[in-house]
Amino acid sequence: EVQLVESGGGLVQPGGSLRLSCVASGFTFSSHCMGWFRQAPGKEREGVASIVTGGLPNYDLDSVKGRFTISQDNAKTTIYLQMTSLKPEDTAMYYCAAEPVRRGGHCPMSHEFGHWGQGTQVTVSS
């Protein structure tokens, strides 16, 4: 059974930092693309970043480039999202997702991710 368990969310002041974690199990971690997504109230879900073993990380949102860093630890089958200089507009439920890599080692499109965690809430507020 595929399981993705996120943690690390919480309430933080603007300018603060958080590190999200997602522990994966039930599938071959190294052959999957792993991604972070977020959904704010009243808005559509959007891709934040993705990573695949042996590949470069990809950041889908210009607004997070330079502030967020996605990484993975294959030994722990865990991905992380280090978030710094947080802004109120980063407030959202953050989800971890997984999907087998596509031909050529590429990550699938956001809507093609088939396995999802339950999410962890990030609130940026003073």
Side-chain angles (χ1 to χ4, degrees):
E1 179 187 4
V2 173
Q3 284 194 324
L4 299 169
V5 180
E6 303 98 331
S7 62
L11 173 63
V12 63
Q13 292 186 342
S17 300
L18 282 175
R19 188 177 80 154
L20 306 184
S21 300
C22 171
V23 180
S25 62
F27 61 93
T28 304
F29 186 77
S30 60
S31 65
H32 279 63
C33 178
M34 302 295 296
W36 285 102
F37 296 77
R38 69 185 186 186
Q39 187 168 20
K43 295 187 177 181
E44 292 188 356
R45 185 177 63 200
E46 56 186 0
V48 176
S50 58
I51 192 168
V52 62
T53 298
L56 294 174
N58 177 67
Y59 298 92
D60 300 292
L61 294 176
D62 287 340
S63 63
V64 307
K65 291 178 181 179
R67 299 190 299 122
F68 290 10
T69 303
I70 187 171
S71 62
Q72 66 181 82
D73 184 333
N74 281 14
K76 296 182 179 179
T77 62
T78 300
I79 64 167
Y80 305 95
L81 186 68
Q82 179 69 50
M83 306 186 292
T84 63
S85 302
L86 282 161
K87 304 175 182 180
E89 50 264 42
D90 295 317
T91 295
M93 184 72 79
Y94 283 72
Y95 298 93
C96 171
E99 181 66 19
V101 296
R102 296 299 188 253
R103 186 174 299 177
H106 300 295
C107 281
M109 302 293 287
S110 295
H111 66 275
E112 295 176 316
F113 278 78
H115 303 293
W116 296 85
Q118 294 300 305
T120 185
Q121 177 67 39
V122 172
T123 302
V124 184
S125 175
S126 56

Coordinates of all heavy atoms in Angstrom, one line a residue, residues 75-115:
A75 N 17.7 6.9 1.3 CA 17.8 5.9 2.3 C 16.6 6.0 3.3 O 16.3 5.0 3.9 CB 19.1 6.2 3.1
K76 N 16.1 7.2 3.5 CA 15.0 7.4 4.4 C 13.6 7.4 3.6 O 12.6 7.6 4.3 CB 15.1 8.6 5.2 CG 16.3 8.6 6.1 CD 16.4 9.9 7.0 CE 17.6 9.8 7.9 NZ 17.7 11.1 8.7
T77 N 13.7 7.3 2.3 CA 12.5 7.4 1.4 C 11.7 8.6 1.9 O 10.5 8.5 2.1 CB 11.6 6.1 1.4 OG1 11.1 5.8 2.7 CG2 12.4 4.9 0.9
T78 N 12.4 9.7 2.0 CA 11.7 11.0 2.4 C 12.1 12.1 1.5 O 13.3 12.2 1.1 CB 12.2 11.2 3.9 OG1 11.8 10.2 4.7 CG2 11.6 12.5 4.4
I79 N 11.2 13.0 1.3 CA 11.5 14.3 0.6 C 11.2 15.4 1.6 O 10.4 15.2 2.6 CB 10.7 14.5 -0.7 CG1 9.2 14.6 -0.4 CG2 11.0 13.4 -1.7 CD1 8.4 15.1 -1.6
Y80 N 11.8 16.5 1.4 CA 11.7 17.6 2.2 C 11.4 18.9 1.4 O 11.7 18.9 0.2 CB 13.0 17.9 3.0 CG 13.5 16.7 3.8 CD1 14.4 15.8 3.2 CD2 13.1 16.4 5.1 CE1 14.9 14.7 3.9 CE2 13.5 15.4 5.8 CZ 14.4 14.5 5.2 OH 14.8 13.4 5.9
L81 N 10.8 19.8 2.0 CA 10.7 21.1 1.4 C 11.1 22.2 2.5 O 10.4 22.4 3.4 CB 9.2 21.4 1.0 CG 9.0 22.7 0.2 CD1 9.7 22.6 -1.2 CD2 7.5 23.0 0.0
Q82 N 12.3 22.7 2.3 CA 12.7 23.8 3.2 C 12.2 25.1 2.7 O 12.4 25.5 1.5 CB 14.3 23.8 3.2 CG 14.9 24.9 4.0 CD 14.6 24.6 5.5 OE1 14.9 23.5 6.0 NE2 14.1 25.6 6.2
M83 N 11.5 25.8 3.5 CA 10.8 27.0 3.1 C 11.4 28.1 4.0 O 11.3 28.1 5.2 CB 9.3 26.9 3.3 CG 8.7 25.7 2.6 SD 6.9 25.7 2.7 CE 6.7 25.4 4.4
T84 N 11.9 29.1 3.3 CA 12.4 30.3 4.1 C 11.8 31.6 3.6 O 11.1 31.6 2.6 CB 14.0 30.4 3.8 OG1 14.2 30.6 2.4 CG2 14.7 29.2 4.3
S85 N 12.0 32.6 4.3 CA 11.4 33.9 3.9 C 9.9 33.8 3.6 O 9.4 34.3 2.6 CB 12.1 34.6 2.8 OG 13.5 34.7 3.0
L86 N 9.2 33.1 4.5 CA 7.8 32.8 4.2 C 7.0 34.1 4.2 O 7.2 35.0 5.0 CB 7.3 31.8 5.3 CG 7.7 30.4 5.0 CD1 7.6 29.5 6.2 CD2 6.9 29.8 3.9
K87 N 6.0 34.0 3.4 CA 5.1 35.2 3.2 C 3.6 34.7 3.5 O 3.3 33.5 3.3 CB 5.2 35.7 1.7 CG 6.6 36.1 1.3 CD 6.6 36.4 -0.2 CE 8.0 36.8 -0.6 NZ 8.0 37.1 -2.1
P88 N 2.8 35.7 3.8 CA 1.4 35.3 4.0 C 0.7 34.5 2.9 O -0.1 33.6 3.1 CB 0.7 36.6 4.3 CG 1.8 37.5 4.9 CD 3.0 37.1 4.2
E89 N 1.1 34.9 1.7 CA 0.6 34.2 0.5 C 1.1 32.8 0.3 O 0.6 32.1 -0.6 CB 0.9 35.0 -0.8 CG 2.3 35.4 -1.0 CD 2.6 36.8 -0.5 OE1 2.1 37.2 0.6 OE2 3.4 37.5 -1.2
D90 N 2.0 32.3 1.1 CA 2.4 30.9 1.2 C 1.5 30.1 2.0 O 1.6 28.8 2.0 CB 3.8 30.8 1.7 CG 4.9 31.4 0.8 OD1 4.8 31.3 -0.4 OD2 5.8 32.1 1.4
T91 N 0.6 30.7 2.7 CA -0.4 30.0 3.5 C -1.2 29.1 2.7 O -1.9 29.5 1.7 CB -1.3 31.0 4.3 OG1 -0.5 31.7 5.2 CG2 -2.4 30.2 5.0
A92 N -1.2 27.8 3.0 CA -1.9 26.8 2.2 C -1.8 25.4 2.9 O -1.0 25.3 3.8 CB -1.4 26.7 0.8
M93 N -2.6 24.5 2.4 CA -2.3 23.1 2.8 C -1.3 22.5 1.8 O -1.5 22.7 0.6 CB -3.6 22.3 2.7 CG -3.5 20.8 3.1 SD -3.3 20.7 4.9 CE -5.0 20.9 5.4
Y94 N -0.3 22.0 2.3 CA 0.8 21.4 1.5 C 0.7 19.9 1.4 O 0.6 19.2 2.4 CB 2.2 21.9 2.0 CG 2.5 23.3 1.7 CD1 1.8 24.3 2.4 CD2 3.5 23.6 0.8 CE1 2.1 25.7 2.0 CE2 3.8 24.9 0.4 CZ 3.1 26.0 1.1 OH 3.4 27.3 0.8
Y95 N 0.8 19.4 0.2 CA 0.6 18.0 -0.1 C 1.9 17.4 -0.7 O 2.5 18.1 -1.6 CB -0.6 17.7 -1.0 CG -1.9 18.1 -0.4 CD1 -2.4 19.4 -0.7 CD2 -2.7 17.3 0.4 CE1 -3.7 19.8 -0.2 CE2 -3.9 17.6 0.9 CZ -4.4 18.9 0.6 OH -5.6 19.3 1.1
C96 N 2.2 16.2 -0.4 CA 3.2 15.4 -1.0 C 2.5 14.5 -2.0 O 1.5 14.0 -1.7 CB 4.0 14.7 0.1 SG 5.1 13.4 -0.5
A97 N 3.2 14.3 -3.1 CA 2.6 13.4 -4.1 C 3.7 12.6 -4.8 O 4.9 13.0 -4.8 CB 1.8 14.2 -5.2
A98 N 3.3 11.4 -5.4 CA 4.3 10.5 -6.0 C 3.7 10.0 -7.3 O 2.4 9.7 -7.3 CB 4.7 9.4 -5.1
E99 N 4.5 9.7 -8.2 CA 4.1 9.1 -9.5 C 5.3 8.6 -10.2 O 6.4 9.2 -10.2 CB 3.4 10.2 -10.4 CG 2.9 9.7 -11.7 CD 1.7 8.7 -11.6 OE1 1.1 8.6 -10.5 OE2 1.4 8.0 -12.6
P100 N 5.2 7.4 -10.8 CA 6.3 6.9 -11.6 C 6.9 7.9 -12.6 O 6.1 8.6 -13.2 CB 5.8 5.6 -12.2 CG 4.7 5.2 -11.4 CD 4.0 6.5 -10.9
V101 N 8.2 7.9 -12.7 CA 8.8 8.8 -13.7 C 8.4 8.4 -15.1 O 8.1 7.2 -15.3 CB 10.3 8.8 -13.6 CG1 10.8 9.4 -12.2 CG2 10.9 7.4 -13.8
R102 N 8.4 9.3 -16.0 CA 8.0 9.1 -17.4 C 9.3 8.7 -18.2 O 10.4 8.8 -17.6 CB 7.3 10.3 -17.9 CG 6.0 10.6 -17.2 CD 5.0 9.5 -17.4 NE 3.7 9.8 -16.9 CZ 3.2 9.3 -15.8 NH1 3.9 8.5 -15.0 NH2 1.9 9.7 -15.4
R103 N 9.1 8.4 -19.4 CA 10.2 8.0 -20.3 C 11.2 9.2 -20.3 O 10.8 10.3 -20.4 CB 9.6 7.8 -21.7 CG 10.7 7.3 -22.7 CD 10.0 6.9 -24.0 NE 9.0 5.8 -23.8 CZ 8.3 5.4 -24.8 NH1 8.4 5.9 -26.0 NH2 7.4 4.4 -24.6
G104 N 12.4 8.8 -20.2 CA 13.5 9.8 -20.2 C 13.8 10.3 -18.8 O 14.6 11.2 -18.6
G105 N 13.1 9.8 -17.8 CA 13.3 10.2 -16.4 C 12.7 11.4 -16.0 O 13.0 12.0 -15.0
H106 N 11.7 11.9 -16.8 CA 11.0 13.1 -16.5 C 9.8 12.9 -15.5 O 9.2 11.9 -15.5 CB 10.5 13.8 -17.8 CG 11.6 14.1 -18.7 ND1 12.6 15.0 -18.5 CD2 11.9 13.6 -19.9 CE1 13.4 15.0 -19.5 NE2 13.0 14.2 -20.4
C107 N 9.5 14.0 -14.8 CA 8.4 13.9 -13.9 C 7.1 14.1 -14.8 O 7.1 14.7 -15.8 CB 8.4 15.1 -12.9 SG 9.5 14.7 -11.5
P108 N 6.0 13.5 -14.3 CA 4.7 13.7 -15.1 C 4.2 15.1 -14.9 O 4.7 15.9 -14.0 CB 3.8 12.7 -14.4 CG 4.4 12.5 -13.0 CD 5.8 12.7 -13.1
M109 N 3.1 15.4 -15.6 CA 2.4 16.6 -15.4 C 1.8 16.6 -14.0 O 1.4 15.5 -13.5 CB 1.4 16.9 -16.5 CG 2.0 16.9 -17.9 SD 3.0 18.3 -18.1 CE 1.8 19.6 -18.3
S110 N 1.5 17.8 -13.5 CA 0.9 17.8 -12.1 C -0.3 17.0 -12.0 O -0.5 16.3 -11.0 CB 0.6 19.3 -11.8 OG 1.8 20.0 -11.7
H111 N -1.2 17.1 -13.0 CA -2.5 16.4 -12.9 C -2.4 14.9 -13.0 O -3.3 14.1 -12.8 CB -3.5 16.9 -13.9 CG -3.1 16.6 -15.3 ND1 -2.2 17.4 -16.1 CD2 -3.4 15.6 -16.1 CE1 -2.0 16.8 -17.3 NE2 -2.8 15.7 -17.3
E112 N -1.2 14.4 -13.3 CA -1.0 13.0 -13.5 C -0.5 12.3 -12.2 O -0.4 11.1 -12.2 CB 0.0 12.7 -14.7 CG -0.5 13.2 -16.0 CD 0.6 13.0 -17.1 OE1 1.7 13.4 -16.9 OE2 0.2 12.5 -18.2
F113 N -0.2 13.1 -11.2 CA 0.3 12.4 -10.0 C -0.9 11.6 -9.4 O -2.0 12.2 -9.2 CB 0.8 13.5 -9.0 CG 2.2 13.9 -9.2 CD1 2.5 14.8 -10.2 CD2 3.2 13.5 -8.4 CE1 3.8 15.2 -10.4 CE2 4.5 13.9 -8.6 CZ 4.8 14.8 -9.6
G114 N -0.6 10.4 -9.1 CA -1.7 9.5 -8.6 C -1.7 9.2 -7.1 O -2.7 8.7 -6.6
H115 N -0.6 9.4 -6.4 CA -0.6 9.1 -5.0 C -0.4 10.4 -4.2 O 0.5 11.1 -4.5 CB 0.5 8.1 -4.7 CG 0.4 6.8 -5.5 ND1 -0.6 5.9 -5.3 CD2 1.2 6.4 -6.5 CE1 -0.4 4.9 -6.2 NE2 0.7 5.2 -6.9

